């Protein structure tokens, strides 16, 4: 209160800092408040991850149950989803961590020519920038291909985990076997998804 008129607020001007209408005295952001906010945000992130994983697994398994003539509902879906939560998450982490490390490594390689700028030479600095631009363009193209390939393979890995109820490593082996045995179809679908992604973007 008090931002629009000088006398606002339940306590009148006594609750405000001099010369700053509406600013309350004694209000400080404490370390405990920041920690509570960080913990709250982390909890929300964890809940969002859990709900996303459970809903994806539920969708895959409910489709199978409908095909088999069994009734499907929201409660049943979440029960099925959380039943495969850890295995599904394990597949995502086991594939995601190496891919993330690969991406970080490629980006660091692409940025490495910038170290020439430490030579205190204008020509070396210009050369470093030009090399960085050329290498990064190549790396971006490589990363696009990697993302498409990994995205397609992950569909097989995760469905093997969710639908066939396999373990983490078994899901990856099963998904790889399915993808390689239908390689032509996978390539066609890959190009279609890539085109759809470009159009959507």
């Amino acid at each position: 209160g008090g931002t629009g008129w000088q006398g606002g607020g339940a306590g009148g001007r006594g609750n405000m800092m001099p010369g700053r209408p509406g600013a309350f005295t004694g209000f400080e952001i404490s370390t405990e408040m920041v920690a509570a906010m960080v913990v709250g945000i982390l909890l929300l992130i964890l809940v969002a991850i859990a709900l996303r994983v459970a809903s994806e697994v539920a969708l895959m398994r409910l489709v199978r149950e409908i095909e088999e003539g069994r009734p499907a509902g929201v409660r049943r879906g979440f029960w099925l989803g959380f039943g495969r939560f850890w295995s599904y998450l394990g597949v995502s982490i086991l594939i995601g961590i190496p891919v993330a490390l690969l991406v970080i490594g490629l980006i660091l390689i692409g940025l490495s020519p910038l170290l020439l700028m430490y030579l205190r030479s204008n020509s070396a600095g210009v050369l470093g920038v030009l090399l960085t631009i050329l290498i990064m363009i190549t790396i971006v193209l490589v990363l696009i291909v990697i993302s498409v390939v990994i995205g397609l393979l992950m569909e097989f890995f995760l469905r093997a985990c969710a639908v066939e109820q396999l373990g983490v490593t078994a899901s990856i082996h099963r998904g790889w076997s399915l993808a390689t045995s239908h390689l032509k179809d996978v390539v066609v679908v890959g190009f279609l998804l890539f085109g759809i992604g470009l159009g959507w973007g």
Side-chain angles (χ1 to χ4, degrees):
T3 55
W5 52 292
Q6 294 295 322
R13 294 181 64 86
N15 288 336
M16 304 176 194
M17 296 177 63
R20 294 182 59 191
F24 294 92
T25 60
F27 180 77
E28 297 180 356
I29 299 179
S30 62
T31 305
E32 293 79 6
M33 185 182 299
V34 174
M37 292 175 62
V38 171
V39 171
I41 292 173
L42 290 177
L43 288 176
L44 288 175
I45 291 174
L46 292 176
V47 170
I49 293 174
L51 289 176
R52 177 180 177 179
V53 170
S55 61
E56 288 180 356
V57 177
L59 179 62
M60 297 176 190
R61 296 195 63 185
L62 286 178
V63 169
R64 170 60 65 87
E65 295 212 342
I66 292 173
E67 289 177 345
E68 295 175 351
R70 285 182 283 181
V74 175
R75 181 180 301 177
R76 172 70 174 168
F78 276 108
W79 185 82
L80 293 172
F82 282 110
R84 299 297 301 166
F85 176 81
W86 293 111
S87 297
Y88 193 94
L89 186 62
V91 173
S92 300
I93 292 175
L94 190 61
I95 299 297
I97 289 178
V99 172
L101 293 176
L102 175 62
V103 171
I104 293 173
L106 289 176
I107 292 175
L108 291 177
I109 292 173
L111 297 177
S112 60
L114 292 178
L115 295 174
L116 293 174
M117 299 176 68
Y118 286 97
L119 297 178
R120 307 289 183 178
S121 172
N122 291 333
S123 58
V126 172
L127 178 61
V129 172
L130 292 176
L131 287 175
T132 299
I133 293 174
L134 292 175
I135 296 174
M136 286 302 299
I137 291 175
T138 304
I139 288 177
V140 167
L141 296 176
V142 171
L143 290 179
I144 291 174
V145 175
I146 291 175
S147 65
V148 172
V149 173
I150 296 299
L152 283 173
L153 291 176
M154 284 296 292
E155 296 294 332
F156 288 94
F157 299 157
L158 295 176
R159 276 164 174 73
C161 176
V163 178
E164 300 186 21
Q165 303 184 44
L166 301 175
V168 175
T169 55
S171 298
I172 295 174
H173 288 303
R174 173 63 174 160
W176 177 260
S177 176
L178 286 172
T180 53
S181 61
H182 300 83
L183 188 58
K184 181 180 178 180
D185 297 328
V186 172
V187 171
V188 172
V189 172
F191 278 112
L192 288 174
L193 292 178
F194 181 70
I196 292 172
L198 287 179
W200 178 256

